[in-house]
Amino acid sequence: SIKVWDLKYQKEEFTFRGHKGSVMTVVVTSDCRRLISGSNDNTIKVWRLSNFTEEFTLTGHTGFINRLLVFEGNKRIIS
């Protein structure tokens, strides 16, 4: 799972659930609209931060996703 925390009040705001394995990496797009997560279940999930929902899942890796990079104006991901 991935947790969003309020640092001022030191409280959990939300928990993203959906990966079948452990989350290995997360990145937030520069416009703060999306959170992207990579897991040891070999998937990448794209989450919408405005309403805390999963947008879609990317598949195709045969191993863990350990790092993510968002580039080209938040239009592409390197994994």
Side-chain angles (χ1 to χ4, degrees), residues 18-19 41-47 54-59:
H19 282 291
D41 65 7
N42 307 343
T43 66
I44 296 168
K45 291 192 177 285
V46 179
W47 312 86
E54 181 182 334
E55 282 192 64
F56 52 88
T57 300
L58 301 171
T59 60

Side-chain angles (χ1 to χ4, degrees), residues 1-64:
S1 65
I2 303 162
K3 294 189 179 288
V4 178
W5 296 87
D6 181 312
L7 295 179
K8 181 177 181 181
Y9 297 104
Q10 301 175 10
K11 292 187 178 185
E12 178 186 334
E13 289 184 354
F14 187 79
T15 300
F16 291 96
R17 290 184 171 85
H19 282 291
K20 293 177 183 167
S22 297
V23 175
M24 308 298 288
T25 184
V26 296
V27 64
V28 175
T29 58
S30 62
D31 60 8
C32 294
R33 291 183 180 177
R34 291 179 170 142
L35 172 91
I36 303 163
S37 56
S39 172
N40 68 2
D41 65 7
N42 307 343
T43 66
I44 296 168
K45 291 192 177 285
V46 179
W47 312 86
R48 185 171 296 280
L49 287 172
S50 61
N51 59 6
F52 301 112
T53 58
E54 181 182 334
E55 282 192 64
F56 52 88
T57 300
L58 301 171
T59 60
H61 278 278
T62 57
F64 298 176

Side-chain angles (χ1 to χ4, degrees), residues 25-27 36-38 44 46 58 61 64-72 74-79:
T25 184
V26 296
V27 64
I36 303 163
S37 56
I44 296 168
V46 179
L58 301 171
H61 278 278
F64 298 176
I65 291 111
N66 296 307
R67 300 280 187 274
L68 295 167
L69 175 71
V70 179
F71 69 109
E72 284 192 8
N74 302 320
K75 295 179 183 176
R76 294 182 187 262
I77 304 167
I78 294 174
S79 59

